[in-house]
Amino acid sequence: ISQTFVLNQITGLIKRGHQVTVFNRGRTNPGVLGDLRVEELTGDRNGDMSALRGRQWDVVIDNPTMLPRWVRTAGEILKNNTQHYIFISTISVYADTSKAGMDESTALLQLRDPASENPQDYGALKAASEAEAERQYPGKTTIIRPGLIVGPGDNSDRFTYWPVRIDRGGEVLAPGDGTDPVQIIDARDIAEWTIRMAEQKAFGIYNATGPASELSMAEMLHGIRAVTSAPVKFTWVPADFLASQNVRGWSNMPVWVAPRWRL
């Protein structure tokens, strides 16, 4: 989960008058919350979670969880101490991503090994975590399935590769023929929407990605170029050639997914 997404959640909640408690190990980027008025609880989902005991919250937003046992161990403490549990999942839970227009009823991945905690089973683990959430918090669960979360403060290369590379100028390798569709969601948008879901007690399962209308790879790259003065030439390279050179979509070529992987 993008750190900027979580920070936008926290700042948005505070601006709307909510009292916020955060629970984490306190190891990564200590002090990142700065002067934000939040209560900070320290613990570890693989160990000591005692800081959560004996407390009640109107809403719990579970952002980083991948493993079903993390949902289960937290649920043992929180299920009777909250009226609303929001689980941030992913569109990677779907078993077949080859069809356009998938909705929340599309079949999900299943874990081949129920005991697996292998990150390579990410989508199936998230799907199993969703099911565990429904068991722990029956009738009061919201499951949100984002696509690729991007925006200011994102220090990964999952999207930022493109604006950084285009701003350098020159000849830029662009994957495919430009017509391949891409989907992204701005961290600020999904954070604000998640807050509204909490305020409205909107239970259920929701896909959360964008934009509202179809966006092609060419439109995305030219849109990025429009905000830089660097001279740029895009050279579109066929997907089959990239595959023959072991250049993979999503990882080596962020955001983009090769057409043959969608068939």
Side-chain angles (χ1 to χ4, degrees):
I1 292 293
S2 167
Q3 176 178 285
T4 190
F5 169 42
V6 178
L7 288 175
N8 274 282
Q9 282 182 2
I10 295 170
T11 56
L13 285 163
I14 293 171
K15 288 179 180 178
R16 294 165 81 106
H18 300 290
Q19 294 179 309
V20 179
T21 300
V22 297
F23 174 80
N24 55 50
R25 296 177 302 171
R27 299 177 186 173
T28 304
N29 295 330
V32 70
L33 298 177
D35 296 328
L36 292 174
R37 301 186 306 277
V38 300
E39 177 188 25
E40 297 187 60
L41 301 180
T42 302
D44 191 332
R45 300 185 77 154
N46 284 316
D48 183 12
M49 299 179 63
S50 59
L52 299 178
R53 296 190 182 279
R55 300 287 304 277
Q56 291 189 335
W57 289 275
D58 296 319
V59 182
V60 172
I61 302 177
D62 196 343
N63 283 302
T65 296
M66 179 180 71
L67 303 180
R69 67 176 172 87
W70 287 350
V71 178
R72 184 169 56 256
T73 54
E76 291 170 354
I77 299 173
L78 297 171
K79 61 185 176 183
N80 295 320
N81 294 313
T82 186
Q83 296 304 310
H84 190 183
Y85 174 81
I86 300 178
F87 181 75
I88 305 299
S89 187
T90 171
I91 58 172
S92 296
V93 296
Y94 293 115
D96 181 1
T97 58
S98 64
K99 300 176 183 178
M102 292 186 302
D103 64 21
E104 292 81 356
S105 66
T106 301
L108 305 183
L109 290 166
Q110 300 293 320
L111 278 173
R112 297 178 184 177
D113 176 6
S116 172
E117 293 188 355
N118 190 330
Q120 292 184 348
D121 293 327
Y122 174 72
L125 285 167
K126 276 288 199 178
S129 294
E130 291 184 1
E132 186 63 42
E134 296 281 7
R135 283 191 289 270
Q136 296 295 325
Y137 309 89
K140 52 184 180 182
T141 299
T142 299
I143 293 171
I144 297 175
R145 296 171 178 162
L148 179 60
I149 301 175
V150 305
D154 182 9
N155 58 6
S156 76
D157 277 340
R158 296 182 305 165
F159 172 82
T160 49
Y161 166 83
W162 291 112
V164 170
R165 175 63 189 90
I166 290 170
D167 190 53
R168 290 175 182 166
E171 185 179 16
V172 176
L173 187 154
D177 61 7
T179 64
D180 298 316
V182 298
Q183 287 187 302
I184 55 178
I185 184 73
D186 191 287
R188 294 161 294 187
D189 292 335
I190 189 172
E192 193 274 337
W193 182 74
T194 301
I195 293 168
R196 286 193 283 115
M197 299 293 277
E199 292 174 336
Q200 296 168 13
K201 293 193 178 298
F203 304 119
I205 303 173
Y206 303 87
N207 288 337
T209 191
S213 57
E214 186 171 302
L215 176 70
S216 71
M217 191 69 185
E219 289 171 326
M220 187 189 78
L221 295 188
H222 283 282
I224 294 170
R225 184 174 69 173
V227 297
T228 179
S229 59
V232 172
K233 176 187 176 183
F234 293 117
T235 298
W236 295 93
V237 179
D240 287 344
F241 177 80
L242 293 176
S244 72
Q245 302 300 308
N246 294 318
V247 176
R248 297 183 60 82
W250 196 254
S251 54
N252 305 117
M253 291 280 99
V255 182
W256 176 73
V257 177
R260 69 185 182 90
W261 295 344
R262 297 197 301 272
L263 298 178

